[in-house]
Structure formats: structure tokens, C-alpha cells
Amino acid sequence: VLPAAVMDSIIIQERLVERLLSPRTQAQRSHPARLKDHEKQYVGFATLPNQVHRKSVKKGFDFTLMVAGESGLGKSTLVNSLFLTDLYKDRKLLNAEERINQTVEIVKHTVDIEEKGVKLKLTIVDTPGFGDAVNNTECWKPITDYIDQQFEQYFRDESGLNRKNIQDNRVHCCLYFISPFGHGLRPVDVEFMKALHEKVNIVPLIAKADCLIPSEIRKLKERIREEIEKFGIKVYQFPECDSDEDEEFKQQDRELKESAPFAVIGSNTVVEAKGQRVRGRLYPWGIVEVENQAHCDFVKLRNMLIRTHMHDLKDVTCDVHYENYRAQCIQQMT
């Protein structure tokens, strides 16, 4: 027979082990009614966002971006700056004679980008030759035809037998580059945007903003906004913020709306400014930093395009532009 002190010690140790190994059992003993009520109230559909997140990350995302504008406005440089990649390394530059005979082409560049485990299949649709001819009558026709072809292909795939593996090649956004050397929109700019505004989300940009001083940029932005409203052009409209959004997001949304059309600068070179290495352009009078919001709207454009509104651009393409095309097709068939 063991002494009483030893027995008490063994009992205490057993209780401690039991408490450590089964805390839920102890909780049920102490508060059985409370735990049962909690289990009754918790169904489990609060984990649905996590399920959607896992499935989306596993599947990956795709985004198609079109760039349009006359040659020499820095379209290729800006795209490389946005996505930190070199999509145009194999491009051949044309001389003057070859450029005269060049017609508007559609060139696709596809690249797979991965960031923190999230995969993005990015497709850049370039339009070399647009606006470079002396007579630019209907030079946007190949571009509108291409957008309609992608809608048609998606409509066929959606109506076919194999609907699970549909490739979405619809154009989700079109960055249209406006020359900084004019006094607003040129006739070709107006006609291009009017021909495409019912088919794609148009985001107008003022190219090579380092050619202008801040006051000139402000005047040009006001002039472009007035002409867009005057000619009835429907550019991409930022969605209104929900009332439950935090104040920082609302402030960012206000700044985006006030900054449109974005005055941008692109650069693929790294220069040294104030002891730091930044992407920018080196001039005799100083350095223009691409990612400095006091110098240009590049950061705002990148945040809008990638971090905040990429999904909304895809939703508007699917729910508005593609639905309009689909309704027309069904109406013609019936």
C-alpha cells in the first residue's frame, strides 16, 4: 500500500495529463450548455471565401491588355515597366521605308508571371502601324475585327460541348496613348475611341509626360476630359466605393478619378538619385523617377490596373461588353 502523500501526487499528475490532452473535454465539463449552443450556431459556411481563394489560386488567372497609339509614344517601354518583364526583346525595328508600307497589325505576346504563389497568364495585344500612315481612314478596323473575333470564339466555346476548359482571350482593357505634343484629342483619337468604346474598356493615357511641365499637364487633362464628354466617348468608369470600405481605399479611389487621364512615363533603366537606385530617365537638368507620384501617374495606373481594378475590368468585359455582343448574336440567330 502506497503512502497517502504519494497517492495524492499520482492523482494530481493524472488530472494534469487529462487536462492537457483533452481541453475540450474539460470545457464541456465546465460549460456543457455554452459549448453545445456554440456548436449549434456555427454551421461552417464562413469558410467559403477560403475555399474560393484556394480554388482560384490553384486555377490561376488570365488578363488580356491591348495597347494602342501611334509609334514612338513609349507603349512597349510602359508595358515592360508595368509588369517588370521584357516582352519585346525579339522585336525588329523598322526603317522609314518599311514603316511607310506597313499596315495595322495585331501582335500578341503571352507571358506567365508568378508572384507569391499566384499565377497570372498575361497577354499583351500590340497594334503596330496604327496612326502612322498619311491617310488613317478606318485604320482601327483591324482592331475592332480582332476584338469581335475573340468574342465570337468565346461564344462558340461557351455554346460547345467542352465548356470546362474555355480559354478567355477577350480583351479586358485597352490603354490608348495620346500624344503630349497636341492640344487635346486628334480626329483619329476621337474616331478610334468612338469605334471601340462599346467593345472594350478604354483607359486613355497621356504619353511621355516628362515632355510637359505640371501646369501644361493639368490643362491637357482638362481639355481631354472636356472633349471626351463633348464627343460622347465612354471610357472606363471607376466603380463607386461601398459605404463599408475603409477611408484609405476611398481616398485612393478619389485620387484615381481625379488623375484620369493618367500622365505616364516609362523606363526600363535604373539610375542613381540621392544615393538610391530607382527606375527613371536621366536628363541634363535632373532625373525623372517613374515611381515618384510627384513626377507622373505611373504608380496610380499600375495600382488601378493590377492591384485594385483588374477584377472589375474583367467583370465589366464579361457582364457588359460580351453580354451586348452575345445578345446581338442570339437576336440575329432567332
Side-chain angles (χ1 to χ4, degrees):
V1 178
L2 295 173
V6 176
M7 288 293 296
D8 291 342
S9 176
I10 292 173
I11 292 171
I12 291 171
Q13 288 178 3
E14 286 178 349
R15 287 179 179 176
L16 284 173
V17 170
E18 183 182 0
R19 187 175 300 173
L20 288 171
L21 291 177
S22 56
R24 185 174 174 179
T25 308
Q26 293 297 329
Q28 284 176 337
R29 287 175 184 170
S30 56
H31 304 286
R34 188 186 306 172
L35 196 63
K36 285 180 182 177
D37 291 342
H38 175 72
E39 286 181 348
K40 286 179 182 178
Q41 293 174 1
Y42 183 74
V43 178
F45 56 80
T47 62
L48 279 173
N50 298 333
Q51 297 176 37
V52 174
H53 174 75
R54 283 197 301 270
K55 187 175 180 181
S56 300
V57 169
K58 185 178 179 181
K59 185 180 178 182
F61 301 88
D62 46 34
F63 188 72
T64 302
L65 178 68
M66 175 180 279
V67 289
E70 67 179 43
S71 299
L73 293 181
K75 301 188 295 294
S76 310
T77 306
L78 183 76
V79 169
N80 289 337
S81 303
L82 282 171
F83 297 98
L84 298 178
T85 184
D86 189 5
L87 290 170
Y88 300 89
K89 54 189 175 185
D90 299 326
R91 185 180 62 170
K92 178 189 174 186
L93 296 177
L94 302 177
N95 56 35
E97 293 179 0
E98 292 172 328
R99 190 169 290 175
I100 289 172
N101 299 323
Q102 184 188 25
T103 56
V104 180
E105 298 179 52
I106 302 294
V107 181
K108 287 175 61 176
H109 303 271
T110 304
V111 63
D112 293 322
I113 305 174
E114 185 172 350
E115 184 180 76
K116 293 184 179 179
V118 179
K119 296 178 181 179
L120 174 68
K121 181 185 177 184
L122 174 68
T123 303
I124 303 296
V125 181
D126 202 354
T127 57
F130 173 80
D132 293 345
V134 176
N135 183 6
N136 288 310
T137 305
E138 292 194 345
C139 62
W140 52 86
K141 192 76 167 57
I143 301 172
T144 56
D145 290 344
Y146 175 81
I147 295 173
D148 286 337
Q149 286 169 11
Q150 305 313 309
F151 282 157
E152 182 183 0
Q153 185 63 44
Y154 192 87
F155 181 69
R156 285 181 180 176
D157 294 342
E158 196 179 42
S159 307
L161 295 174
N162 187 14
R163 298 177 58 183
K164 291 183 179 179
N165 302 316
I166 298 178
Q167 287 191 347
D168 186 6
N169 293 319
R170 296 171 295 182
V171 180
H172 301 118
C173 179
C174 175
L175 300 180
Y176 186 71
F177 288 70
I178 300 168
S179 173
F181 309 119
H183 297 282
L185 298 177
R186 301 172 302 163
V188 67
D189 300 332
V190 175
E191 293 301 323
F192 174 87
M193 289 195 277
K194 287 178 73 173
L196 268 75
H197 67 172
E198 299 283 359
K199 301 176 183 292
V200 68
N201 300 309
I202 298 177
V203 178
L205 307 177
I206 299 173
K208 294 193 172 182
D210 49 345
C211 299
L212 305 173
I213 61 175
S215 60
E216 291 174 336
I217 290 176
R218 284 194 297 270
K219 289 179 182 177
L220 185 57
K221 283 187 176 185
E222 291 174 6
R223 182 73 181 270
I224 291 172
R225 287 194 207 106
E226 291 172 0
E227 292 182 341
I228 284 174
E229 186 176 353
K230 174 184 173 183
F231 292 110
I233 299 169
K234 301 173 186 175
V235 297
Y236 173 68
Q237 298 294 324
F238 300 108
E240 295 297 328
C241 285
D242 296 329
S243 57
D244 58 345
E245 295 286 356
D246 57 359
E247 194 59 37
E248 183 181 355
F249 185 82
K250 291 180 180 179
Q251 177 65 25
Q252 187 180 17
D253 187 68
R254 281 194 296 267
E255 290 178 359
L256 285 177
K257 291 177 180 177
E258 292 170 0
S259 300
F262 300 106
V264 295
I265 304 167
S267 175
N268 296 324
T269 57
V270 178
V271 295
E272 189 168 340
K274 299 177 182 178
Q276 295 181 342
R277 293 179 63 80
V278 295
R279 280 192 300 150
R281 292 184 174 273
L282 181 62
Y283 292 102
W285 43 264
I287 294 173
V288 174
E289 299 176 30
V290 170
E291 298 183 1
N292 189 336
Q293 297 196 42
H295 293 180
C296 68
D297 298 329
F298 173 83
V299 173
K300 293 177 183 175
L301 172 66
R302 185 179 62 187
N303 289 344
M304 183 278 295
L305 200 62
I306 301 171
R307 300 183 182 181
T308 58
H309 289 76
M310 178 180 279
H311 208 280
D312 186 68
L313 287 164
K314 295 182 68 172
D315 287 345
V316 173
T317 300
C318 183
D319 300 338
V320 179
H321 300 303
Y322 173 68
E323 281 301 316
N324 291 338
Y325 175 84
R326 183 173 172 273
Q328 290 176 2
C329 288
I330 295 175
Q331 191 174 8
Q332 290 172 4
M333 290 165 61
T334 55

